[in-house]
């Protein structure tokens, strides 16, 4: 039996420390009360909460929580932000799952195999939702949103184009990509960031404010890496005609031998169309569609921070874009623009797929579309507005150019005769509207922006903005109808829009000018002067801005 010497671990640890625990100075000692009443803390009166430099000493967690919470109360209510497509509600059980898994990193496959299994299931579910044919092996990934997904899809098209050109002994300079002028800024960002010429095609009333297939043929050439086709325009909610564009590119390939792929930007529509129907094919059933993206945090009904992209087959994602990682414990493949990111949103997406199922998603999307149709019909029935969106019109029937529907009685009793979306033009549950021609002629002094401004005082955020270049003289107001728009809230919204319009109609030009006037310089100076009192960050060089 070997001899052993007893070791006192406390002694050993103490000897390795620079100071014995008994005599070490308390780093956290400072003069403070043993407890704080939130509004009796130093941040209630004597000091402002730090804004530009980390404070020398900390504060009680409950105090910091309440002070920050009070400031955040100045934000608008998410369910009244009708400008945004981003989902703002999830089930309490899913909220609990999100919190329980908030620390899990989606980039660490070796540490979180169950999370990665759920990620793989989501990719499979989404690829089947988008019509992946038998024999194809879809590949995809979660992203931080559709912007990242679009960049990944565009980059894959560019690299495949470069590889093909090199094999043919041709130049890889001056690549270009086509998109409509209604494209969301993320598509233009791809072109600028990855040095691809953006051929932005004008939109018109005839093309329903979307990409015009006729213009596609006129603008593609041997340097075209692909075409972005948008399933759900940000401006008016229209679905662009993916199948028509595909046919145009088929004819071009037949004439020239040049194959040009399509990436479908389904940021919103790729989670609406599968449950409500679309006019024509748009998904992987079209061989020319190589990749599709969507925002899980839009009509995937997950909180902000989740996107998805899927390629129809591994061959459409060049291998030299995929990185193999070994330093987290195992071997994993990565094709993203970032690395570490929360994995709990992927779990939230899986929760929705399992919890709602196809039946639940169908119900949510059809309800949103039905509410959007009611809003559209009510606005046109008022006699003051016309809708540029067309989801409330019978399939194949489009906007009438600005006159709208004549005034009818009983707007509050307006009901939709049919709820079947296949009877109507397909699109997002979006209502894009403006003053009709008759209203603008009768009340030329009323600015449409004033409707948006006054509705904000009631808590609504409804943007007023111009359509894309070539039709930028047209201003529209836009409402995104999300899951949280109940029938009761819809009734209130309709009443508030019409009451606000009546208020503007009762004002003369002088009143409306004062409504739109900027804050006077005198008030600005007073506000800035008051802001200096007791401020700890006087040396901060930024400019203090105030808005009306």
């Amino acid at each position: 039996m070997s001899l052993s010497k007893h070791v006192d671990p406390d002694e050993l640890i103490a000897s390795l420390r620079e100071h014995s625990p008994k005599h070490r100075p308390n780093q956290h000692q400072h003069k403070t009360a043993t407890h704080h009443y939130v509004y009796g803390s130093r941040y209630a009166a004597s000091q402002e909460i730090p804004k530009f430099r980390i404070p020398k000493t900390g504060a009680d967690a409950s105090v910091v929580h309440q002070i920050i919470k009070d400031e955040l109360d100045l934000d608008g209510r998410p369910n009244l932000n009708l400008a945004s497509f981003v989902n703002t509600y999830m089930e309490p059980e899913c909220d609990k799952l999100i919190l329980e898994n908030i620390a899990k990193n989606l980039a660490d496959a070796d540490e979180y195999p169950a999370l990665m299994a759920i990620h793989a299931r989501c990719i499979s579910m989404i690829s089947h939702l988008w019509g992946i044919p038998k024999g194809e092996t879809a590949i995809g990934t979660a992203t931080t949103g559709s912007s990242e997904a679009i960049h990944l899809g565009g980059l894959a098209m560019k690299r495949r184009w470069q590889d093909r050109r090199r094999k043919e002994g041709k130049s890889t300079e001056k690549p270009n990509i086509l998109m409509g002028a209604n494209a969301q800024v993320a598509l233009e960002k791809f072109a600028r960031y990855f040095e691809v010429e953006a051929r932005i095609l004008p939109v018109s009333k005839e093309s329903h404010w979307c990409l015009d297939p006729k213009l596609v043929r006129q603008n593609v050439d041997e340097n075209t890496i692909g075409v972005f086709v948008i399933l759900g325009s940000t401006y008016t909610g229209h679905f662009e005609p993916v199948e028509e564009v595909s046919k145009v590119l088929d004819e071009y390939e037949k004439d020239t031998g040049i194959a040009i792929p399509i990436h479908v930007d389904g940021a919103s529509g790729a989670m609406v169309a599968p449950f409500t129907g679309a006019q024509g094919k748009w998904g992987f059933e079209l061989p020319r569609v190589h990749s599709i993206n969507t925002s899980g945090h839009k009509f995937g009904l997950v909180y902000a921070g989740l996107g998805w992209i899927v390629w129809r087959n591994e061959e459409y994602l060049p291998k030299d874009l995929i990185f193999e990682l070994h330093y987290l414990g195992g071997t994993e493949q990565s094709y993203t623009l970032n690395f570490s990111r929360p994995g709990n949103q992927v779990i939230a997406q899986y929760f929705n797929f399992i919890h709602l199922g196809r039946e639940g998603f169908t119900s949510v999307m059809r309800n949103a579309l039905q509410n959007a149709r009611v809003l559209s019909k009510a606005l046109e029935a008022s006699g003051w507005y016309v809708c540029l969106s067309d989801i409330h019109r019978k399939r194949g029937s489009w906007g009438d150019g600005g006159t709208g529907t004549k005034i009818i009685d009983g707007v509050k009793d307006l009901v939709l005769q049919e709820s079947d979306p296949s009877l109507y033009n397909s699109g997002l549950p979006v209502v894009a509207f403006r003053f009709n021609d008759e209203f603008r002629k009768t009340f030329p002094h009323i600015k449409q922006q004033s409707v948006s401004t006054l509705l904000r005082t009631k808590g609504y955020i409804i943007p007023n903005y111009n359509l894309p270049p070539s039709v930028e003289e047209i201003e529209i107001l836009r409402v995104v109808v999300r899951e949280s728009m109940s029938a009761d809230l819809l009734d209130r919204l309709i009443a508030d829009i019409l009451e606000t319009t009546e208020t503007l109609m009762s004002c003369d030009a002088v009143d409306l000018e004062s409504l739109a006037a900027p804050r006077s310089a005198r008030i600005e100076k007073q506000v800035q002067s008051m802001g200096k009192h007791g401020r700890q960050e006087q040396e901060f060089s930024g400019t203090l801005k105030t808005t009306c």
Side-chain angles (χ1 to χ4, degrees):
M1 182 176 176
S2 61
L3 294 173
S4 299
K5 182 180 178 181
H6 170 69
V7 176
D8 186 334
D10 292 332
E11 249 182 55
L12 178 63
I13 293 170
S15 69
L16 296 174
R17 286 176 173 159
E18 190 173 343
H19 299 284
S20 171
K22 191 180 294 184
H23 302 293
R24 275 197 306 166
N26 187 343
Q27 300 294 327
H28 302 287
Q29 273 189 345
H30 50 80
K31 294 179 181 180
T32 183
T34 56
H35 65 278
H36 283 300
Y37 170 63
V38 172
Y39 298 108
S41 74
R42 70 178 189 269
Y43 291 135
S46 61
Q47 298 178 29
E48 288 189 358
I49 192 167
K51 298 180 178 67
F52 310 113
R53 290 186 177 179
I54 297 175
K56 183 177 180 181
T57 58
D60 187 82
S62 63
V63 172
V64 176
H65 168 266
Q66 188 63 49
I67 294 295
I68 295 176
K69 179 179 181 296
D70 289 344
E71 184 170 357
L72 291 173
D73 284 343
L74 296 172
D75 284 341
R77 289 180 56 193
N79 69 319
L80 294 184
N81 181 7
L82 306 182
S84 176
F85 288 86
V86 176
N87 184 62
T88 58
Y89 169 81
M90 293 201 77
E91 300 282 356
E93 292 82 1
C94 191
D95 289 344
K96 187 178 178 182
L97 265 178
I98 289 171
L99 188 59
E100 290 169 348
N101 292 277
I102 199 167
K104 292 186 177 179
N105 185 356
L106 190 60
D108 196 342
D110 189 64
E111 182 67 19
Y112 306 114
L115 172 61
M116 297 312 297
I118 287 175
H119 175 272
R121 293 175 205 169
C122 287
I123 293 295
S124 179
M125 289 178 173
I126 292 169
S127 63
H128 283 103
L129 188 66
W130 293 343
I132 195 73
K134 287 185 177 181
E136 300 277 15
T137 305
I139 184 173
T141 184
T143 63
T144 53
S146 274
S147 294
E148 182 186 2
I150 286 164
H151 289 195
L152 297 176
L155 185 55
M157 290 194 295
K158 179 183 178 183
R159 185 58 55 88
R160 279 176 53 82
W161 173 81
Q162 290 173 324
D163 291 344
R164 187 181 73 245
R165 298 282 289 179
R166 289 191 186 102
K167 289 178 181 177
E168 296 171 352
K170 297 179 180 178
S171 171
T172 58
E173 295 181 358
K174 298 183 179 180
N176 67 72
I177 191 165
L178 272 62
M179 65 190 82
N182 59 308
Q184 206 262 1
V185 69
L187 281 69
E188 293 186 55
K189 278 185 178 181
F190 160 75
R192 188 178 301 181
Y193 291 172
F194 291 95
E195 299 181 325
V196 176
E197 176 196 350
R199 294 188 175 176
I200 300 175
L201 309 183
V203 301
S204 64
K205 175 192 166 188
E206 290 69 29
S207 68
H208 314 307
W209 324 107
C210 287
L211 179 67
D212 189 338
K214 295 191 295 293
L215 297 180
V216 170
R217 177 60 192 260
Q218 300 169 20
N219 287 275
V220 292
D221 58 32
E222 65 178 356
N223 290 333
T224 302
I225 67 170
V227 181
F228 282 141
V229 187
I230 304 167
L231 197 69
S233 172
T234 301
Y235 287 88
T236 59
H238 288 91
F239 288 168
E240 291 187 337
V242 184
E243 188 172 15
E244 287 184 45
V245 174
S246 180
K247 288 177 180 178
V248 168
L249 296 177
D250 287 344
E251 293 171 1
Y252 180 78
E253 182 177 3
K254 184 178 179 181
D255 294 341
T256 65
I258 299 172
I260 298 175
I262 290 173
H263 172 86
V264 175
D265 173 21
S268 297
M271 292 302 293
V272 174
F275 307 109
T276 60
Q279 288 153 278
K281 298 175 182 178
W282 61 269
F284 288 128
E285 64 271 28
L286 294 171
R288 198 167 295 277
V289 174
H290 287 190
S291 52
I292 305 172
N293 72 275
T294 195
S295 292
H297 62 227
K298 292 180 181 175
F299 291 101
L301 309 180
V302 176
Y303 294 132
L306 179 67
W308 298 97
I309 181 166
V310 176
W311 288 267
R312 66 183 304 118
N313 202 304
E314 291 177 308
E315 69 176 283
Y316 299 110
L317 178 54
K319 290 183 178 179
D320 64 344
L321 292 177
I322 301 172
F323 287 83
E324 280 198 355
L325 310 173
H326 305 280
Y327 50 77
L328 291 178
T331 299
E332 61 182 275
Q333 294 183 322
S334 173
Y335 178 47
T336 55
L337 297 182
N338 63 350
F339 189 56
S340 294
R341 55 151 300 172
N344 53 0
Q345 290 154 321
V346 171
I347 297 169
Q349 184 72 85
Y350 187 57
F351 174 93
N352 276 347
F353 287 157
I354 300 301
H355 171 59
L356 292 174
R358 279 185 171 267
E359 184 180 0
F361 268 100
T362 299
S363 176
V364 168
M365 302 310 163
R366 288 194 174 196
N367 286 342
L369 278 168
Q370 185 165 342
N371 282 337
R373 292 191 194 102
V374 171
L375 174 58
S376 302
K377 290 194 171 186
L379 290 170
E380 291 198 339
S382 71
W384 302 328
Y385 292 100
V386 62
C387 293
L388 279 72
S389 48
D390 287 300
I391 54 170
H392 63 299
R393 297 188 173 96
K394 297 294 184 180
R395 187 158 286 199
S397 174
W398 306 98
D400 59 7
T403 56
T405 308
K406 296 297 181 183
I407 297 175
I408 62 171
D409 294 329
V411 171
K412 289 184 179 180
D413 297 326
L414 185 68
V415 293
L416 199 62
Q417 297 297 319
E418 302 94 355
S419 60
D420 184 355
S422 66
L423 300 175
Y424 295 88
N425 291 318
S426 57
L428 301 178
V430 166
V431 182
F433 59 106
R434 65 174 178 86
F435 291 145
N436 64 31
D437 295 342
E438 185 178 344
F439 184 94
R440 289 190 296 169
K441 183 178 179 180
T442 307
F443 302 98
H445 60 288
I446 297 180
K447 294 180 179 178
Q448 199 166 275
Q449 175 62 43
S450 298
V451 178
S452 176
T453 301
L454 289 181
L455 285 171
R456 188 173 282 264
T457 66
K458 296 176 180 286
Y460 302 105
I461 300 177
I462 298 177
N464 181 82
Y465 57 94
N466 299 88
L467 286 181
S470 77
V471 286
E472 66 270 15
E473 71 281 0
I474 300 175
E475 285 184 280
I476 60 170
L477 294 150
R478 191 197 68 194
V479 169
V480 179
V481 178
R482 301 194 304 273
E483 177 189 24
S484 55
M485 175 69 75
S486 65
D488 288 339
L489 181 57
L490 178 67
D491 288 347
R492 183 68 261 169
L493 174 63
I494 292 171
D496 285 337
I497 291 175
L498 298 185
E499 286 173 9
T500 295
T501 309
E502 285 183 316
T503 298
L504 292 169
M505 291 163 65
S506 66
C507 295
D508 59 27
V510 176
D511 292 333
L512 295 179
E513 281 297 323
S514 64
L515 174 67
R519 185 178 294 195
S520 70
R522 179 179 60 81
I523 296 178
E524 286 283 342
K525 192 174 292 185
Q526 286 180 347
V527 170
Q528 292 187 13
S529 176
M530 290 171 62
K532 292 179 182 177
H533 178 68
R535 190 176 299 277
Q536 290 177 300
E537 290 79 31
Q538 289 181 359
E539 71 277 12
F540 179 66
S541 60
T543 303
L544 178 64
K545 295 182 179 179
T546 55
T547 55
C548 296

